[in-house]
Amino acid sequence: MKSVAELLQGYLHHVIYDPEHAFLDVEQLPKEFQELGSELVYFCKCLMETTALAQNIAKGNLEVDLPPPENEMAGPLKALHASLKHLTWRAQQVAKGDYQQHLDFMGEFAEAFNAMKEQLEYQRRNLLKEIEDGHEKTQALEQSNSLLQIITNQISQWIIVMDVTTSDWLYVNQQAAQILKDPDYESKWKRWMKWQADALEKNGQPYFTEMKISQGDKVQYFSVDIHPLSWYGNKALVFMFTDVSYEKEQLYDLQNAAYTDIMTQAFNRRYGMKILHEWLVGSRSFVLCFIDIDRLKSVNDTFGHSEGDRYILEVTGILHNFSLESVLCRMGGDEFMILAQDWNAAKAKERMEVLRNRLINGDFARNHSYERSISYGVVEVRADNLLSESALLSIADERMYEYKKAYRMKHKKINRILFE
């Protein structure tokens, strides 16, 4: 018959390594240990409930049943769960265009969130103002009663009058003539204008379109108003080109800000999930690497968040070297994701080990008093994959934690050998 210590030790072993089969028959204990056994069973029940909640939070699964109120052990995690749900809701509101959202909890993360929101709102206002200014210019053109008024009032625009029958240019204002001296450049414009004339011939009504022209490394964007008119008895079209390259650049900057992690300048979770979805829909073959920075919380607590930020930036710089074509995203906090096409799992693991050793043994490591490392999980996604984005991330997350656990056990074993 097993001793009390063996029964309790066996039960605790199952709780830690095989919780689904953990069971302690309190009636088998001597009477004087039965109360202790009951308390231990309740403690382990609370522990498993708390662990389950922690695992769900780690996977980003916030739609879970919470431990009961009497489980005081889970209190801090339940509070974190509530904060994350609230943060998720606020982020969703910002994504919908509500820039009035403001975080006043979660410390430095709240500061970064509020700064990002203010930057997006500032850029949005500027872009809207520029667009409004562009619309006002267009309205001024519509109110013009003659070509002379258009030329006089809109001298910054390019104005070209084209014969509908012959496609010859009947008039080119000075601004356009200065640019269209290059015959090849002029040829591109004529072809594009001929296409527009053919499209306009069906209805004969003025309309608005956009145009993109490349000349060497330079790319220009134009908004184009096209109006039919009679030019000295000839059926003609007047093209009024407004350079909107600056507005396009501003729009690109706004989109880039929405997809960029402010601190690391890597892509953010929103962009990463967008690319992951697009690759899955496009049936592409790629690898997904999910990375976690080891002991970041300990570094923040011991050396301060400034040191923790330097740690994050060092890891980001190393992960950028996975490959030139890979997509690196900061998923939040200490978690990153790499998406890379034309890689298999074995090759990706080899590359991750190279980067991990570079972090452990690099100049940054030699000049600091704590160990730096990362844990990772790799999933190879084939073209015939049927798993969803969340399912793939969950698998990668689980493999990352398996890697982390294996490394910790190996580390403990080495320390035990060194100090025996």
Side-chain angles (χ1 to χ4, degrees):
M1 183 175 180
K2 294 184 178 180
S3 67
V4 173
E6 289 175 331
L7 288 172
L8 296 180
Q9 185 179 9
Y11 174 61
L12 288 175
H13 184 274
H14 278 86
V15 168
I16 297 172
Y17 299 104
D18 189 14
E20 291 185 1
H21 298 93
F23 175 74
L24 177 63
D25 188 354
V26 177
E27 298 297 328
Q28 291 186 3
L29 298 175
K31 193 169 184 178
E32 62 270 22
F33 289 99
Q34 288 183 1
E35 183 177 355
L36 173 62
S38 298
E39 292 294 335
L40 182 60
V41 169
Y42 179 73
F43 171 80
C44 290
K45 175 178 176 293
C46 292
L47 178 61
M48 287 188 286
E49 291 174 347
T50 303
T51 301
L53 177 58
Q55 290 172 343
N56 277 297
I57 291 177
K59 295 175 182 178
N61 181 16
L62 302 181
E63 301 302 325
V64 295
D65 294 331
L66 299 178
E70 55 268 21
N71 184 350
E72 298 184 1
M73 185 186 301
L77 275 180
K78 288 165 72 176
L80 174 60
H81 175 270
S83 295
L84 289 174
K85 289 205 71 171
H86 185 66
L87 175 61
T88 299
W89 179 85
R90 288 190 178 275
Q92 290 171 342
Q93 300 311 302
V94 172
K96 293 176 182 178
D98 179 6
Y99 296 105
Q100 302 304 313
Q101 297 297 321
H102 185 83
L103 288 182
D104 52 8
F105 62 97
M106 298 188 75
E108 187 174 346
F109 182 85
E111 294 179 4
F113 178 90
N114 294 332
M116 178 194 70
K117 180 263 300 181
E118 291 172 1
Q119 184 182 27
L120 289 174
E121 171 63 9
Y122 174 77
Q123 293 179 347
R124 185 184 71 89
R125 288 197 302 266
N126 285 346
L127 182 59
L128 288 175
K129 185 178 183 305
E130 290 164 4
I131 293 174
E132 183 180 353
D133 292 344
H135 288 166
E136 290 176 355
K137 291 179 181 179
T138 302
Q139 290 174 358
L141 287 176
E142 293 174 350
Q143 295 169 359
S144 299
N145 296 320
S146 66
L147 182 60
L148 179 59
Q149 290 176 319
I150 295 174
I151 297 173
T152 302
N153 297 329
Q154 303 293 332
I155 57 173
S156 64
Q157 290 184 303
W158 298 8
I159 300 174
I160 301 176
V161 180
M162 187 185 77
D163 188 300
V164 173
T165 304
T166 65
S167 298
D168 292 335
W169 287 358
L170 303 175
Y171 175 82
V172 180
N173 76 336
Q174 183 178 358
Q175 288 76 12
Q178 290 175 349
I179 302 299
L180 299 174
K181 293 178 181 179
D182 185 338
D184 292 335
Y185 200 41
E186 178 181 343
S187 177
K188 292 180 182 179
W189 281 67
K190 284 188 173 181
R191 287 197 302 270
W192 184 86
M193 292 171 65
K194 179 64 169 61
W195 294 335
Q196 301 304 317
D198 292 342
L200 185 64
E201 188 177 1
K202 297 179 180 180
N203 53 38
Q205 297 297 318
Y207 81 106
F208 170 85
T209 186
E210 291 187 348
M211 179 184 185
K212 176 183 176 182
I213 288 290
S214 300
Q215 187 179 29
D217 296 333
K218 184 179 180 182
V219 178
Q220 286 180 285
Y221 297 89
F222 296 88
S223 65
V224 186
D225 282 289
I226 306 175
H227 294 262
L229 80 162
S230 177
W231 184 271
Y232 295 106
N234 295 321
K235 188 178 180 181
L237 294 174
V238 56
F239 291 79
M240 295 170 286
F241 298 88
T242 302
D243 190 339
V244 293
S245 302
Y246 178 74
E247 288 82 354
K248 288 287 186 180
E249 291 176 2
Q250 291 296 303
L251 179 60
Y252 172 80
D253 291 342
L254 180 61
Q255 292 174 336
N256 187 54
Y259 287 141
T260 303
D261 178 67
I262 293 177
M263 186 181 82
T264 64
Q265 292 301 297
F267 292 116
N268 59 18
R269 180 185 182 88
R270 182 181 182 187
Y271 183 79
M273 296 304 293
K274 174 179 177 292
I275 294 300
L276 178 57
H277 175 75
E278 290 176 356
W279 287 11
L280 290 177
V281 171
S283 299
R284 302 190 188 186
S285 298
F286 60 95
V287 292
L288 186 160
C289 305
F290 196 79
I291 303 104
D292 182 80
I293 302 178
D294 294 332
R295 294 174 294 279
L296 177 61
K297 183 179 184 303
S298 175
V299 172
N300 284 330
D301 293 343
T302 305
F303 302 96
H305 285 276
S306 295
E307 182 62 30
D309 289 348
R310 283 192 287 271
Y311 188 9
I312 292 172
L313 292 173
E314 175 70 13
V315 171
T316 304
I318 288 177
L319 294 180
H320 268 301
N321 294 315
F322 183 92
S323 73
L324 292 176
E325 299 79 16
S326 62
V327 179
L328 173 63
C329 312
R330 186 183 182 194
M331 302 298 280
D334 54 1
E335 295 177 342
F336 289 79
M337 177 177 71
I338 292 176
L339 300 173
Q341 297 187 81
D342 301 323
W343 285 70
N344 58 40
K347 184 180 175 184
K349 289 177 183 178
E350 290 178 1
R351 184 58 180 164
M352 287 304 304
E353 280 300 310
V354 169
L355 298 180
R356 185 175 185 273
N357 289 330
R358 188 177 299 174
L359 175 66
I360 293 173
N361 301 316
D363 293 337
F364 184 85
R366 289 193 292 270
N367 296 330
H368 290 76
S369 57
Y370 58 88
E371 181 182 356
R372 279 141 300 276
S373 64
I374 55 175
S375 299
Y376 62 86
V378 177
V379 177
E380 183 174 348
V381 184
R382 302 181 186 275
D384 58 356
N385 167 74
L386 297 177
L387 296 177
S388 66
E389 296 97 317
S390 59
L392 291 172
L393 283 172
S394 295
I395 294 171
D397 183 67
E398 289 173 2
R399 291 179 181 176
M400 180 273 292
Y401 275 101
E402 290 172 1
Y403 183 98
K404 187 185 292 287
K405 182 178 178 181
Y407 172 74
R408 287 177 176 173
M409 293 181 66
K410 179 180 178 181
H411 195 66
K412 289 180 180 179
K413 184 176 180 180
I414 292 174
N415 286 339
R416 188 163 57 248
I417 293 173
L418 291 174
F419 293 100
E420 282 181 352

